Amino acid sequence: MSFTVAIDGPAASGKGTISRAIAEHFGFAYLDTGLLYRAVGKKAMGFDCNPKAAAKLARELTADDLAADDLRSAEVAEAASKIAPIPEVRAALIAFQKTFAKQPGGAVLDGRDIGTVICPEADVKMFVTASAQVRAHRRFKELTDKGEAITEAQVLADIQARDARDAGRDIAPMVAAIDALVLDTSAMSITQAIAAAVDVIGEKWPVGNG
Ligand code: CDP
């Protein structure tokens, strides 16, 4: 039996941490769809990539590409959001995501367009958000803990530019699905945010609360 949890939201809203915790709690498979766009963006870096060439990069992604350890950098995030508006790139990545979502035993996917485009029929939809300042502070900690040399002001500027690109694009823009539960984690600890998400899913997951 398939059971799909769709989690969308802006950069550094906590959606990845919440999605991983949900997957672990309920035994679902987890797909961080941002990694697909990051991996394509990384390959396209330094090229003046036309849509056809970018779509080819997307079609040829391998498991190794997704395992690269530098995909989480600020530079790759920016490259990802630049190839993400290309319709041919998004089209090349749809089938894999839809198949992943339908696997038996349940799946959680996080991204920008999961509840609206990839899984409009998802069993649970959430839109996880937080103020830009709170998100920038979290992301700044994450990046500097990994040794990246960046200021918090730069992280905030990057996040705001990326949010504007992601929400403003014509195709699959970042937006809460009308039937998504909006979870604002600005004033929540990560433990509280996870508990809130687990409660919402536990009410719908027919197998029981984990
Ligand atoms: O971790 P963070 O929220 O900062 O970013 P991410 O989820 O890894 O996504 C990186 C970029 O990929 C986003 O800024 C979007 O431009 C793009 N993306 C997308 O367009 N659609 C998705 N389903 C996931 C990511």
Side-chain angles (χ1 to χ4, degrees), residues 175-193:
V175 63
I178 45 168
D179 49 349
L181 173 97
V182 177
L183 186 64
D184 186 331
T185 67
S186 302
M188 284 182 173
S189 69
I190 193 62
T191 314
Q192 287 170 324

Side-chain angles (χ1 to χ4, degrees), residues 60-74:
E60 292 174 355
L61 276 189
T62 65
D64 278 353
D65 294 331
L66 298 179
D69 56 10
D70 59 350
L71 293 182
R72 296 249 149 251
S73 71

Side-chain angles (χ1 to χ4, degrees), residues 80-162:
S81 83
K82 288 189 173 154
I83 54 84
I86 302 174
E88 291 87 341
V89 168
R90 304 199 76 85
L93 299 173
I94 280 184
F96 173 73
Q97 296 175 78
K98 281 185 178 279
T99 306
F100 189 95
K102 289 275 177 227
Q103 66 189 282
V108 50
L109 291 82
D110 79 45
R112 301 291 185 287
D113 62 340
I114 309 304
T116 49
V117 174
I118 304 295
C119 307
E121 310 296 330
D123 298 277
V124 180
K125 295 183 190 177
M126 294 182 21
F127 190 85
V128 180
T129 189
S131 73
Q133 282 70 19
V134 166
R135 291 186 287 120
H137 187 68
R138 289 178 186 159
R139 183 55 51 91
F140 171 70
K141 259 199 104 290
E142 258 170 58
L143 292 172
T144 50
D145 282 354
K146 277 191 288 182
E148 195 159 327
I150 196 161
T151 64
E152 190 163 333
Q154 185 59 52
V155 175
L156 177 60
D158 286 355
I159 278 185
Q160 285 172 327
R162 196 143 61 90

Side-chain angles (χ1 to χ4, degrees), residues 31-39 71-72 80 97 110-112:
L31 180 64
D32 170 357
T33 67
L35 278 187
L36 304 174
Y37 294 90
R38 284 174 181 260
L71 293 182
R72 296 249 149 251
Q97 296 175 78
D110 79 45
R112 301 291 185 287

